[in-house]
């Protein structure tokens, strides 16, 4: 069977499209966060968008290295077109990441294995592992943002100004940096992880 007749071929194309769109959606969330003064939140989300773009690149590379020039691939697939305010967008991003790592990429990996593309199956599995972490990050950011605790913690932790490097240990970050006068949105974020889930 020619590669362009396989499920794996279509799944790579769908994955490229999905990851490209996720990267753009996350850029839009970051833009909204930046506009509201949440600079380090925006930078964290931009990093996730960059990750999604790297996933898209890998899927694109796999498509192109397995055959002749691809002019157009018609896809019949659904892609998320939802959004809202920052809190809602973070919640929806976590939901999308969960769908990818629990449903979409495991199914794509299974198809690739059944069609004899072990390397592509492994790629889908590796991306799914990253999407698991992305879900955890978006869940945490959503909850912390919604509760207004992005810059506070139950126990004292080290807060660092991303602009000038000023640091102090407390249960709450400063409203305005005492050194450079940057707003609280410049404070580096602390995202806790449970090791067994990563």
């Amino acid at each position: 069977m020619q590669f362009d007749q396989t499920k794996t071929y279509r799944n790579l194309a769908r994955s490229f499209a999905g990851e490209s769109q996720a990267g753009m959606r996350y850029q839009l969330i970051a833009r909204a966060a930046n506009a509201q003064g949440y600079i380090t939140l925006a930078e964290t989300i931009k990093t996730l968008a960059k990750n999604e773009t790297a996933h898209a690149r890998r899927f694109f590379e796999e498509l192109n290295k397995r055959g002749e020039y691809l002019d157009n691939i018609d896809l019949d697939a659904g892609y998320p077109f939802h959004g809202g305010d920052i809190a809602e967008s973070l919640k929806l991003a976590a939901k999308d990441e969960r769908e990818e790592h629990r449903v979409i990429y495991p199914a794509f990996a299974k198809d690739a294995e059944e069609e004899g593309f072990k390397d592509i199956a492994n790629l889908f599995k590796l991306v799914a592992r990253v999407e698991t972490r992305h879900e955890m990050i978006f869940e945490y950011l959503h909850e912390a943002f919604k509760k207004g605790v992005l810059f506070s913690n139950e126990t004292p932790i080290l807060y660092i100004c991303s602009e000038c490097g000023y640091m102090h240990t407390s249960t709450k970050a400063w409203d305005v940096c005492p050194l450079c006068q940057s707003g609280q949105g410049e404070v580096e974020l602390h995202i806790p992880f449970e090791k067994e889930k990563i």
Side-chain angles (χ1 to χ4, degrees), residues 8-191:
T8 300
Y9 170 84
R10 298 189 63 70
N11 290 343
L12 283 170
R14 288 179 59 193
S15 299
F16 169 73
E19 295 291 317
S20 298
Q21 291 178 37
M24 178 47 74
R25 282 194 309 276
Y26 301 164
Q27 288 283 357
L28 295 173
I29 300 169
R31 177 182 240 176
N34 199 49
Q36 292 184 33
Y38 294 100
I39 309 306
T40 54
L41 174 60
E43 291 304 314
T44 299
I45 297 167
K46 283 180 189 176
T47 298
L48 300 177
K50 180 181 173 184
N51 297 163
E52 300 300 322
T53 302
H55 302 167
R57 177 185 54 79
R58 285 294 293 121
F59 294 134
F60 187 80
E61 289 169 352
E62 289 300 322
L63 271 171
N64 279 283
K65 81 178 190 184
R66 286 187 155 69
E68 65 283 347
Y69 175 75
L70 305 174
D71 186 36
N72 191 49
I73 302 173
D74 289 323
L75 295 176
D76 183 17
Y79 297 97
F81 280 88
H82 47 232
D85 62 16
I86 294 172
E88 183 67 13
S89 293
L90 293 169
K91 180 180 178 181
L92 291 167
K95 176 185 164 290
D96 294 341
E97 295 292 328
R98 185 169 42 256
E99 178 78 8
E100 284 180 350
H101 78 79
R102 288 187 184 174
V103 179
I104 297 169
Y105 290 134
F108 288 0
K110 183 175 182 275
D111 288 343
E113 284 174 355
E114 289 173 356
E115 292 178 330
F117 301 107
K118 303 291 185 200
D119 57 333
I120 297 175
N122 189 52
L123 175 61
F124 285 130
K125 290 175 186 177
L126 289 173
V127 171
R129 285 178 57 193
V130 174
E131 307 303 24
T132 300
R133 182 172 173 267
H134 285 182
E135 179 196 1
M136 292 169 24
I137 293 169
F138 278 123
E139 280 290 340
Y140 170 78
L141 293 175
H142 167 253
E143 288 299 318
F145 188 86
K146 184 175 75 170
K147 293 176 182 174
V149 295
L150 272 177
F151 305 106
S152 63
N153 198 55
E154 291 178 5
T155 58
I157 58 174
L158 179 65
Y159 288 100
I160 302 171
C161 177
S162 68
E163 190 66 22
C164 72
Y166 174 79
M167 306 177 218
H168 86 205
T169 301
S170 179
T171 56
K172 185 178 184 307
W174 53 86
D175 291 327
V176 176
C177 176
L179 175 58
C180 71
Q181 303 296 299
S182 291
Q184 192 177 62
E186 295 279 1
V187 174
E188 292 180 10
L189 298 178
H190 295 275
I191 301 174

